[in-house]
Amino acid sequence: MAYTMTPTPAGPVGSQYCVCKVELSVCGQNLLDRDVTSKSDPFCVLFMEDNGKWVELDRTETAVNNLNPAFSKKFIVDYHFEEVQKLKFALFDQDKSSMQLYEHDFLGEFSCTLGMIVSSKKITRTLLLGNGKPAGKGMITIAAQELSDNRVITLSMAGRKLDKKDLFGKSDPFLEFYKPGDDGKWMLVHRTEVIKYTLDPTWKMFTVPLVSLCDGDVEKLIKVMCYDYDSDGGHDFIGEFQTSVAKMCEAQDASPLELECINPKKQKKKKNYKNSGIIIVKSCKITRDFSFLDYILGGCQLMFTVGIDFTASNGNPRDPSSLHYINPMGTNEYLSAIWAVGQIIQDYDSDKMFPALGFGAQLPPDWKVSHEFAINFNPTNPFCSGVEGIVQAYSACLPHIRFYGPTNFSPIINHVARFAAQATQQEAASQYFILLIITDGVISDMDETRHAVVQASKLPMSIIIVGVGNADFAAMEFLDGDSRVLRSHTGEEAVRDIVQFVPFRDFRNAPKETLAKAVLAELPQQVVQYFKHRNLPPINSEPA
């Protein structure tokens, strides 16, 4: 989850606040008809402008044979009040199964800022073609809703003895869930998958935000409609019923809730009409989908440790070509990385006392090589006060150690992992450990490091690696499991990706906050992922 440095009246200046999430619902009206024998099959793609380029965020499902689609797939966007977030909604007629947009016919687009949608709550605008002219009579309606309620509802639904709609065979039923919109019309919220050839379907369990389904009001009436799927888009209506989340929550695994599916036309025509089948709510559970901010506001502390590479490949710190040389401005790449990450993370640790460790150096008085030493030379109390304390201890230790080798990561990873393992005794989300390793190059103990990372992936712990200098960082990219799952040398897989690697050289000429954003980009989701996997709620969480 993204977060910003915006000071707000609600807390101390400089403290961090997660951005709220906004859900965007899209409908199209009078879209261009691009198909010769039938109507267009539209889908909508959302782009956001990033550094002058349009980047695709997401796309909806395809509405078959429909010039007035209401898409059930919602776009969820992080809303930053202090940024101009330019959005573009582009509609296409699906012609092939290709993901490439140029393979599909363009139906028109509309651009605006997220702020414009949010301030109006709902806007309807003309769709434009690439030349800026209207796309026929095509219009787009976009409605925004803040997803501040973190409750989600998980439903398990089935049907029994549904009406047979197909001439040769049984029906292919699916359900659609609607809530009342502000304009009095029913608004599509969720569509289940289609179950083929059955009058007694069991749909897959699904989870939707409670805000999406009923605006967070469990007493609000919702409408459920059952259809028989047709590939040409002309789905046959089987029946409908109205209920509420409160009513559906009466369903228990042992005693499911049965609701009659009624077709009003049939009901009027036939005297002895009973129903068009039964829809069964097998189970209905409301839980909370906690965010990074929920855990932080709940009192979770981020425990920050720094590991610094003092191997000989860095060069003599008195030589201006050394990566550890502190220039007349009082900085170097090591210090820049410590500042960039530390000054953000320190807001999340109440005592602001951080262990700072070094590796790969010979230490006085006997000049033995150490791969996990306190840079303040106090092994029983390696803590430094704030980021300033780390910087002071780092500068002070440089003249007193000899740079040596090899570059072993595993001792420091295992050092932090020992503390993280103690924190697994917690019954709520109270502590999460972050290790920042700053290094100039190739890892010597790759097998041991891989094993250490795989073991640490089971713990409340993340590892950030900043590569300084111009070395080949291929091994670091390997540890950062963005493209593939990391395995230890024994073949054991990491249960989650906990390593984020960035080369400092990519940020040398960028504003310093750019490095922090890149380095910390994955951290909030790693924190949430761990606590969710362990079913640990925030310390002060309310029941759903």
Side-chain angles (χ1 to χ4, degrees), residues 175-194:
L175 298 176
E176 288 187 341
F177 291 75
Y178 291 81
K179 69 177 176 187
D182 292 343
D183 52 6
K185 294 178 181 165
W186 289 101
M187 183 175 163
L188 177 63
V189 171
H190 180 77
R191 185 182 289 128
T192 67
E193 80 281 14
V194 176

Side-chain angles (χ1 to χ4, degrees), residues 120 157 212 248 265 370 434 468 474 486 522 531 540:
S120 307
M157 311 285 290
S212 297
M248 290 196 293
K265 283 184 182 171
S370 173
I434 293 140
V468 294
L486 178 72
E522 294 178 11
F531 289 130
N540 305 319

Side-chain angles (χ1 to χ4, degrees), residues 66-125:
N66 196 338
L67 301 183
N68 300 286
F71 298 107
S72 74
K73 166 81 183 279
K74 312 296 181 191
F75 294 126
I76 295 177
V77 185
D78 285 337
Y79 168 58
H80 302 251
F81 173 72
E82 75 292 354
E83 286 180 23
V84 178
Q85 292 172 278
K86 290 186 181 166
L87 303 178
K88 179 164 73 176
F89 298 82
L91 286 128
F92 295 87
D93 170 24
Q94 180 160 352
D95 281 340
K96 300 174 181 158
S97 57
S98 169
M99 292 298 285
Q100 302 296 330
L101 291 175
Y102 63 78
E103 299 265 13
H104 307 288
D105 292 329
F106 180 54
L107 298 175
E109 66 186 25
F110 167 65
S111 301
C112 64
T113 63
L114 182 55
M116 198 187 295
I117 304 170
V118 170
S119 61
S120 307
K121 199 166 180 194
K122 188 175 189 177
I123 59 173
T124 299
R125 295 288 188 273

